[in-house]
C-alpha cells in the first residue's frame, strides 16, 4: 500500500477549474482585466469572438454597468436574458473565480457616481403607477444624457458631420426602435434644406429605396441591440456601392461598425422594459445642426 496521500476530489476539481480558466484567458491573449475600463478595452478590441449567449452577456455588460454593479447574479441574468451559470462562465473566461468576483469591476466603476440626494426618501404620498413610470422614464433619460456628457467622442462626431456635409444625398436608415429617431432626423434635415431620403421600408421597398445610392452619397444609420432588423443589410448595400457611412449605435458589437467610416456609441437606459431615446435624439439633432452649419443652409 502506497504511503502517498491521494488529493481530495475538491482539490482536484479546483485545480482543473483554474487550469481551464487560465487556458480560456490565454486563448484570448489577454491578462485578467483589473478595471471596468480594461474590460471595455478587451471587448472593443475586435479580437474576442463569443458564442451567442456569451455575446448576449457582453452586450448587456457593455450597456448596463450600473445594473451589473448593483444587481444580484439572478437579477443580472434575468435582465440579460441568460442563465446565471452563463454569467459565471463569462467571468471565468476572464480569469475570475465567479461572478461576484468579476462584479467588483463594475462596483468600483460606479462607486460614488450616485449623489447622496438620490437615496433620500421624499415625504409625499405614494405615487400612482403612471406617475411612478413617468419618474422612471425621466430618470432613464437623464442617465442616458449623462453618459453623453461624461464620455463623448468629439473626434468621431466631427468626422460624421464632415462626411454628411459633403454628401450629395443623405440616406437616413433605421428601423424598429431606431425608426422614431431617423424619422425626426430626416424631417429636420429637410427643414434645414439638406437633401435626404428616409428609408422607411413602406411596402417592403427598403432595398429599392437604396437602389440608386452611389459613391457621392452618404448614409446616416441608427441601430440598437439586438441588431435583428433590416438595417445591417441596407447598410451593406450602401457599403458595396462605395457610399460613405456614419452610424449611431449602442455598442462595439453592432454589425454596422465594420461597415462604417465613423460611428458614435450612444447607450440608452431603460425603465420597466422601455428604453429612452433622449440621448440618440440629442446626438442626432447635433449632427443635423452641424451639417446645416457647414453647408451654410
Amino acid at each position: 500500500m502506497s504511503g502517498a496521500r491521494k488529493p481530495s476530489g475538491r482539490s482536484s476539481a479546483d485545480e482543473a477549474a483554474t487550469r481551464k480558466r487560465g487556458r480560456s484567458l490565454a486563448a484570448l491573449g489577454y491578462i485578467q482585466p483589473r478595471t471596468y475600463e480594461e474590460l471595455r478595452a478587451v471587448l472593443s478590441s475586435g479580437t474576442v469572438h463569443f458564442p451567442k449567449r456569451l455575446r448576449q452577456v457582453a452586450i448587456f455588460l457593455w450597456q448596463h454597468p450600473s445594473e451589473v454593479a448593483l444587481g444580484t447574479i439572478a437579477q443580472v441574468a434575468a435582465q440579460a436574458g441568460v442563465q446565471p451559470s452563463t454569467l459565471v462562465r463569462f467571468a471565468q473566461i476572464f480569469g475570475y473565480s465567479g461572478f461576484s468576483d468579476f462584479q467588483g469591476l463594475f462596483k468600483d466603476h460606479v462607486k460614488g457616481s450616485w449623489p447622496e440626494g438620490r437615496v433620500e426618501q421624499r415625504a409625499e404620498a405614494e405615487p400612482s403607477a403612471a406617475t411612478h413610470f413617468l419618474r422612471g422614464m425621466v430618470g432613464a433619460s437623464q442617465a442616458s444624457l449623462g453618459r453623453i456628457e461624461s464620455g463623448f467622442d468629439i473626434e468621431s462626431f466631427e468626422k460624421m458631420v464632415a462626411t454628411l456635409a459633403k454628401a450629395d444625398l443623405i440616406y437616413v436608415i433605421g428601423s424598429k426602435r431606431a425608426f422614431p429617431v431617423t424619422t425626426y432626423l430626416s424631417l429636420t434635415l429637410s427643414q434645414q434644406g439638406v437633401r435626404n431620403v428616409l428609408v422607411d421600408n413602406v411596402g417592403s421597398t427598403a432595398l429599392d429605396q437604396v437602389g440608386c445610392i452611389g459613391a457621392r452619397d452618404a448614409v446616416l444609420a441608427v441601430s440598437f441591440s439586438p441588431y435583428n432588423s433590416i438595417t445591417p443589410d441596407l447598410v451593406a448595400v450602401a457599403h458595396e456601392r462605395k457610399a460613405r457611412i456614419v452610424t449611431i449605435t449602442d455598442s462595439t458589437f453592432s454589425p454596422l461598425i465594420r461597415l462604417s467610416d465613423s460611428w458614435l456609441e450612444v447607450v440608452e437606459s431603460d425603465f420597466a422594459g422601455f428604453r429612452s431615446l433622449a440621448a440618440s435624439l440629442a446626438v442626432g439633432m447635433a449632427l443635423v445642426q452641424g451639417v446645416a452649419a457647414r453647408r451654410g443652409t
Side-chain angles (χ1 to χ4, degrees):
M1 180 174 175
S2 170
R5 292 186 61 186
K6 231 177 171 180
S8 69
R10 178 176 178 78
S11 172
S12 299
D14 289 345
E15 288 176 6
T18 300
R19 286 196 299 272
K20 182 178 180 182
R21 289 196 298 272
R23 286 197 299 270
S24 298
L25 194 63
L28 293 174
Y30 293 100
I31 62 172
Q32 184 185 66
R34 296 293 182 181
T35 66
Y36 172 75
E37 288 70 24
E38 287 182 8
L39 176 65
R40 277 181 63 98
V42 173
L43 295 178
S44 64
S45 65
T47 60
V48 184
H49 303 287
F50 296 109
K52 181 179 178 181
R53 289 302 180 192
L54 293 182
R55 176 183 170 86
Q56 191 172 330
V57 170
I59 292 173
F60 183 81
L61 299 185
W62 181 283
Q63 295 176 351
H64 304 284
S66 296
E67 286 85 342
V68 177
L70 301 175
T72 65
I73 186 171
Q75 290 169 338
V76 175
Q79 290 175 311
V82 298
Q83 294 297 318
S85 60
T86 306
L87 295 180
V88 174
R89 186 153 53 101
F90 189 93
Q92 290 176 340
I93 285 176
F94 289 94
Y96 286 88
S97 60
F99 179 73
S100 60
D101 190 20
F102 179 66
Q103 192 180 31
L105 300 180
F106 297 85
K107 290 181 178 179
D108 290 342
H109 174 67
V110 302
K111 189 180 295 181
S113 63
W114 295 95
E116 292 181 0
R118 294 192 183 185
V119 298
E120 294 178 358
Q121 298 294 323
R122 297 186 180 185
E124 58 183 36
E126 185 71 21
S128 67
T131 303
H132 175 70
F133 181 82
L134 174 61
R135 288 178 178 171
M137 287 306 301
V138 169
S141 298
Q142 290 172 334
S144 302
L145 293 168
R147 290 192 188 97
I148 297 299
E149 187 176 19
S150 62
F152 190 66
D153 190 340
I154 296 295
E155 184 178 352
S156 289
F157 175 80
E158 294 294 350
K159 286 181 181 178
M160 291 171 69
V161 170
T163 297
L164 295 173
K166 290 187 294 186
D168 283 356
L169 186 62
I170 299 172
Y171 288 77
V172 188
I173 301 177
S175 55
K176 296 188 176 180
R177 188 167 63 88
F179 188 66
V181 179
T182 54
T183 301
Y184 192 50
L185 297 187
S186 175
L187 171 64
T188 52
L189 283 168
S190 297
Q191 290 174 334
Q192 296 297 320
V194 179
R195 295 176 61 245
N196 72 94
V197 173
L198 173 63
V199 182
D200 56 17
N201 198 30
V202 171
S204 301
T205 59
L207 289 172
D208 298 304
Q209 289 177 308
V210 299
C212 295
I213 195 168
R216 298 174 64 180
D217 301 322
V219 168
L220 170 56
V222 183
S223 179
F224 306 118
S225 61
Y227 317 121
N228 57 358
S229 67
I230 194 176
T231 301
D233 295 333
L234 299 174
V235 173
V237 171
H239 183 262
E240 290 173 1
R241 298 186 181 180
K242 311 301 182 184
R244 302 297 300 275
I245 298 163
V246 302
T247 296
I248 297 173
T249 191
D250 56 2
S251 85
T252 191
F253 297 96
S254 170
L256 300 188
I257 300 301
R258 62 182 179 81
L259 302 172
S260 301
D261 296 287
S262 51
W263 65 285
L264 284 169
E265 178 185 299
V266 178
V267 179
E268 300 280 9
S269 295
D270 66 85
F271 179 76
F274 293 85
R275 288 190 189 175
S276 165
L277 291 174
S280 303
L281 286 167
V283 171
M285 294 306 299
L287 283 174
V288 170
Q289 191 280 333
V291 171
R294 288 212 180 196
R295 290 191 172 199
T297 55

